[in-house]
């Protein structure tokens, strides 16, 4: 279950408008590679250290493949791909690496994650 709390926000398009409250998802903590390796190792016959090694190798290879411009498919989780923001140029031939202002990560969730979002349950917190 995801915890939400009300957050007051102003309308950036109309600074004179009355502020409104919006739901904000609140983190319930962080899970790191070590904990993931422990959890996976308890669900199969692989040792925790082996799971950790596989997760680290996965991390290394994802980064390497993204650097090569590939889309990384993570099964039911979804796809990762590098995207860029750039300056607009008058002519196509003026577009170059120097036009790029910033790179970012695009994540497109797979069917399992999209389905999870559809059936998500929430609880409210006041703190």
């Amino acid at each position: 279950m995801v915890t939400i709390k009300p957050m007051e926000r102003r309308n950036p398009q109309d600074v004179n408008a009355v502020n409104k409250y919006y739901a904000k998802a609140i983190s319930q903590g962080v899970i790191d590679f070590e904990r993931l390796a422990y959890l996976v190792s308890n669900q199969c016959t692989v040792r925790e250290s082996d799971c950790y090694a596989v997760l680290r190798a996965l991390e290394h290879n994802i980064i390497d493949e993204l650097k090569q411009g590939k889309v990384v498919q993570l099964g039911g989780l979804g796809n990762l791909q590098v995207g860029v923001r750039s300056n607009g140029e008058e002519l196509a031939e003026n577009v170059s690496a120097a036009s790029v202002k910033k790179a970012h990560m695009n994540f497109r969730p797979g069917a399992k994650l999209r389905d999870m979002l559809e059936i998500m349950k929430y609880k409210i917190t006041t703190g």
Side-chain angles (χ1 to χ4, degrees), residues 46-88:
V46 181
R47 289 189 195 152
E48 183 178 344
S49 58
D50 296 328
C51 290
Y52 182 78
V54 168
L55 289 172
R56 282 291 175 208
L58 178 65
E59 175 188 40
H60 170 80
N61 286 293
I62 287 172
I63 292 169
D64 190 49
E65 297 300 320
L66 288 169
K67 283 181 184 177
Q68 294 177 44
K70 295 181 182 173
V71 175
V72 176
Q73 295 180 325
L74 298 170
L77 289 177
N79 299 337
L80 290 172
Q81 182 178 14
V82 173
V84 296
R85 290 186 174 80
S86 71
N87 297 316

Side-chain angles (χ1 to χ4, degrees), residues 98-119:
S99 303
V100 175
K101 293 192 294 188
K102 186 176 183 182
H104 61 272
M105 190 60 52
N106 290 327
F107 175 72
R108 290 180 298 283
K112 289 181 182 180
L113 280 182
R114 286 192 313 269
D115 292 346
M116 180 269 308
L117 291 172
E118 293 292 325
I119 60 169

Side-chain angles (χ1 to χ4, degrees), residues 8-22:
E8 186 176 15
R9 299 238 169 109
R10 66 182 170 100
N11 183 344
Q13 296 174 340
D14 183 3
V15 293
N16 297 321
V18 175
N19 289 357
K20 293 185 178 180
Y21 289 87
Y22 297 88

